[in-house]
Amino acid sequence: MNDEKNISSGMSEVVKTVCNIVEGFIFVFGCYIVLYGQLSPGGGFAGGVILAAVFILIMLAFGKERVLKIMPRKRGAFIEALGALSFLAVAWAGLYVSGIFFKNFIPTTAASHFKLMSGGTILIYNIAIALKVMAGLFLVFFVLSITRVILEGDKLKMVKKQ
Amino acid sequence: MIYVMCLALFVVGLYGICCKKNLIKIILGFIIMDYAVNLFIILIGYRKNGIAPILDKTMDVNKFALSSVDPMPQAIVLTAIVIGLAVTALMVAVCVRIYERYGTFDITKIRKLKG
Amino acid sequence: MTEAMIFFLMGLMILGSIIALESKDLLSSVIAIGAVGFMLSVIFLLLRAPDIAIVQVVIEILTLIILIRVTISRDIHIIGDTREFLPFALNMVLLVIFFIIAAEAIRNMPAFGTGVSKVAFPYLSRGLNDTGSANIVTSVILDYRAYDTLGEATVLFTALIGAITILRREAKK
C-alpha cells in the first residue's frame, strides 16, 4: 500500500534532487555512445538502451506525469516508427544509388579514418537503431508499470492507473 | 573444460524450467539459459592472448588481423542480448495476464482451474 | 591468468543461479539473477568483448527494474515446492542424461582459445578500408551483415508490439 503512494507522487526529495543533477549527464553519455559507435565500444543498441534508461529513471523518481510531458505515448510510437522506417529508407537509398540493398554509398577515404564521419551510412544506421530501441523499451516499460491487478468484488481485474 | 562449465550453467537454467512451479522462477530459468548460450558463443570466438577487435591509429592492420579475437560471434550476440530483454518483457506481460485471470503464479493451480 | 579468472567467475555464476532458483523469497531470487548478470558482464570484458560488456550491463539493469517493479509487488505469498518424488526424480535423470550427451558432443570442438573462424580474417584485415569504421564489430553488424540487423529489428518490434497488445485492457472491435 506504501508502494501505491510512492508511484503516484514519486520518490523522496533526495532522490529527486540527485536525479535532477544526473539525468542530463546520462543523456549526453548515451548520445556519445551512439555517435562514436564506429570508433569505440558502443553503438546503437547500447546507446539506445542507455537513453531509454534516462526516461525510466525520470519516471521512477518523479512519477509518470513528468515523463508524459516529455514523451507522450503518441510521440513514443512515432519515434519508434521513425527509427525503423529511416533504417529501411537508407537501405533503399543504397539500392537506388548503386543497385545493391544495404550498400554503403557514402564514400570513405583513408584521410577520414578515425574521425566521426568516417563510417559512411553506419552513423545513420546507428542513430536510427538508437531511436527505435529507446522508444520501444520505454513504451513497453511504461505499459507494464501502469497496469495494476486489483480485487474488485470477488474477481480480479486489470486496470490502468490514472 | 571451460565449455563444460558453460553447459552446467545451461543445465541449471533447464532445471529451473522443468522443476519449478512459480512462473517467475520459470522466467528466471529462461534468463539463465539465455546467459549460458550467449557466453558459449563468445567463448568460441576467443583467441588466446588476443586483443579487442577495435583498431587504433598506431596499429598495423595485418598484425591486428592475426592477433584480434573473432568479431563474428560478438556481432551475433550483441543483437541477441537486446532481443532477450524484449522476449523477457513479453513473458512478463503474459504472466501479468495469467495472474489477472487466475490470481496466482502457481502453474499446478492454473492447470486445475482450467477444467 | 585470464582462464583462472573466468573459471572462478563461472563457478560463482552457477552458484548464484542455483541460489536464485532455490531461494524461498522472490525478491532475493531476482537480486541473485542481477548478480549473475553483472558477473557475466565482467567475463565478457575478460574475453576482450567490450561492446557486449556495455550492452550486458545496461540490459541487466533494465531487466532487474522490470522484474522487481512489475512482478514482485504483486504476489506476496510464497509458493512452496511440494513436489512429488517420482516426477522430480524423472526430471533429474533426464537432465543428467542430457548433460552427459552434450558434454560428449562438446569434447569434439576445437580447444578453448583456438577456434577463430575463417571468415574473421577478411573482416579484420579489410574492415577499415571497406567501411571506414575502426570498430570491427560495428562494421560487421551494420555493413557486412546488415540483413541480420534488419531481421533483429523486426523481431524486437514484434516482441514489443506483442507485449503492448497483450496488456491492452479490452480487445478493439
Side-chain angles (χ1 to χ4, degrees), chain A residues 54-105:
Chain A
V54 175
F55 291 106
I56 291 173
L57 173 70
I58 295 174
M59 180 167 164
L60 289 178
F62 292 101
K64 75 182 174 64
E65 290 80 17
R66 175 154 166 188
V67 84
L68 277 185
K69 240 181 253 168
I70 308 171
M71 185 177 284
R73 290 179 67 172
K74 283 257 171 67
R75 192 179 293 167
F78 174 75
I79 288 178
E80 170 155 22
L82 182 74
L85 288 180
S86 58
F87 189 85
L88 265 183
V90 177
W92 275 107
L95 181 64
Y96 183 73
V97 171
S98 61
I100 301 169
F101 201 57
F102 276 120
K103 172 81 177 165
N104 194 344
F105 58 87

Side-chain angles (χ1 to χ4, degrees), chain A residues 110-143:
Chain A
S112 73
H113 287 169
F114 302 109
K115 294 206 174 66
L116 179 60
M117 297 304 290
S118 64
T121 50
I122 288 181
L123 184 63
I124 310 171
Y125 287 144
N126 260 337
I127 294 173
I129 288 177
L131 287 179
K132 181 173 158 41
V133 171
M134 174 187 83
L137 289 184
F138 167 68
L139 271 187
V140 77
F141 179 79
F142 183 76
V143 173

Side-chain angles (χ1 to χ4, degrees), chain A residues 3 7 37-38 40-42 45-46 49-50 56 60 80 87-88 101-102 104 108 113-114 118-119 122 125-126 129 132-133 136-137 140-141 143-144 147-148 158 160, chain C residues 50-51 54-55 58-59 62 65-66 69-70 73-74 128-135 138-139 141-143 146-147 149-150 152-153 156-157 160 163-164 167-169:
Chain A
D3 191 31
I7 300 153
Q38 73 267 35
S40 56
F45 290 104
V49 181
I50 291 175
I56 291 173
L60 289 178
E80 170 155 22
F87 189 85
L88 265 183
F101 201 57
F102 276 120
N104 194 344
T108 61
H113 287 169
F114 302 109
S118 64
I122 288 181
Y125 287 144
N126 260 337
I129 288 177
K132 181 173 158 41
V133 171
L137 289 184
V140 77
F141 179 79
V143 173
L144 273 174
T147 47
R148 285 268 166 285
M158 198 168 72
K160 296 247 191 310
Chain C
D51 294 89
I54 291 177
V55 177
V58 186
I59 288 287
L62 278 193
I65 293 176
I66 286 181
R69 190 70 197 74
V70 173
S73 61
R74 212 154 273 174
L128 181 63
N129 286 327
D130 279 357
T131 66
S133 158
N135 186 349
T138 305
S139 78
I141 59 172
L142 291 177
D143 197 307
Y147 278 106
T149 311
L150 182 62
E152 186 274 342
L156 185 68
F157 190 71
L160 296 180
I164 293 172
L167 285 175
R168 203 166 46 190
R169 209 177 333 169

Side-chain angles (χ1 to χ4, degrees), chain B residues 18 27 51 54 67 71 78 89:
Chain B
C18 291
I27 291 180
I51 55 173
I54 295 169
S67 65
L78 186 67

Side-chain angles (χ1 to χ4, degrees), chain B residues 6-87:
Chain B
C6 199
L7 182 65
L9 189 64
F10 184 86
V11 171
V12 169
L14 200 60
Y15 158 75
I17 291 183
C18 291
C19 300
K20 287 293 163 189
K21 286 183 172 177
N22 194 334
L23 272 177
I24 303 296
K25 288 273 174 72
I26 292 177
I27 291 180
L28 294 187
F30 180 85
I31 294 175
I32 292 169
M33 279 170 69
D34 202 12
Y35 288 164
V37 171
N38 289 342
L39 180 56
F40 187 69
I41 295 174
I42 293 286
L43 280 174
I44 290 174
Y46 183 66
R47 195 198 304 248
K48 268 197 180 130
N49 303 318
I51 55 173
I54 295 169
L55 266 167
D56 201 350
K57 262 182 210 170
T58 54
M59 275 181 206
D60 178 40
V61 174
N62 283 320
K63 212 189 276 175
F64 168 75
L66 286 176
S67 65
S68 167
V69 298
D70 198 344
M72 265 285 297
Q74 298 196 14
I76 293 169
V77 168
L78 186 67
T79 55
I81 290 177
V82 181
I83 292 182
L85 178 62
V87 171

